């Protein structure tokens, strides 16, 4: 009897670095210059090297964006650094289809996952190697690197979730994560 093995999709992952390889892999980079208005200290941000990379994302979309019932898969590498006293972080988003959830799993580095309900109530979860985070639907999410090395985490999210960055641009999150004496400070925004 012969076993016919199914064929994998062809894209490959490097678990530790978060890098992906394959024809279906998409890449996005966000620099200091592209993050105007995201950090509290806009003067500090505008004085920095605009080309400095804050984070890079690699992901694969095996079905068209917007398809109901599919999944996307990818990794974010969030660099270590600060804008003023505020740690490097992602813009953060609600999902455009609000009730869609997501998984994050941390590979390396240390930081925080900032989670905000639609009413603005905000909390944080510590991200460390091996930490797995379930982000429920209707909860905005942003990651912050509080360590000295890059923080890498994998994510899996529904193919019809989409991203709503505008809602965050308008109101921000309820908490900010700042460099403190010895340990990060989580402050009201
Ligand atoms: Fe998301």
């Amino acid at each position: 009897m012969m076993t016919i093995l199914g064929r994998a999709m062809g894209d490959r992952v490097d678990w530790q670095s978060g890098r992906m390889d394959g024809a279906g892999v998409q890449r996005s980079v966000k620099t200091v210059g592209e993050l105007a208005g995201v950090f509290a200290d806009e003067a500090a941000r505008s004085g920095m090297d605009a080309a400095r990379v804050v984070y890079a994302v690699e992901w694969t979309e095996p079905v068209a964006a917007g398809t109901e019932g599919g999944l996307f898969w990818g990794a974010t590498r969030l660099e270590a650094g600060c804008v003023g006293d505020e740690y490097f972080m992602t813009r953060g988003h609600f999902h455009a289809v609000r009730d869609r959830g997501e998984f994050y799993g941390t590979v390396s580095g240390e930081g925080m996952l900032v989670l905000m309900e639609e009413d603005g109530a905000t909390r944080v979860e510590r991200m460390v190697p091996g930490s797995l985070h379930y982000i429920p639907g209707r909860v905005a999410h942003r990651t912050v690197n509080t360590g000295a090395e890059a923080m890498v985490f994998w994510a899996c999210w529904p193919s019809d979730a989409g991203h709503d960055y505008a809602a965050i641009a308008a109101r921000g999150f309820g908490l900010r994560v700042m460099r403190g004496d010895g340990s990060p400070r989580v402050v009201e925004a």
Side-chain angles (χ1 to χ4, degrees), residues 52-74:
R52 184 171 167 186
V53 172
V54 179
Y55 59 96
V57 186
E58 298 196 355
W59 75 99
T60 185
E61 300 185 353
V63 295
T67 302
E68 194 177 331
L71 294 169
F72 292 164
W73 173 264

Side-chain angles (χ1 to χ4, degrees), residues 47-119:
M48 294 171 68
D49 175 6
R52 184 171 167 186
V53 172
V54 179
Y55 59 96
V57 186
E58 298 196 355
W59 75 99
T60 185
E61 300 185 353
V63 295
T67 302
E68 194 177 331
L71 294 169
F72 292 164
W73 173 264
T76 298
R77 175 189 169 93
L78 176 55
E79 301 295 337
C82 280
V83 175
D85 281 334
E86 190 171 19
Y87 289 111
F88 275 8
M89 59 185 179
T90 59
R91 279 190 296 171
H93 56 264
F94 284 100
H95 288 152
V97 179
R98 279 291 191 277
D99 67 358
R100 300 308 195 245
E102 184 164 5
F103 268 118
Y104 281 179
T106 316
V107 173
S108 63
E110 56 184 302
M112 291 189 191
L113 171 60
V114 185
L115 298 167
M116 182 173 72
E117 307 285 339
E118 288 179 298
D119 67 3

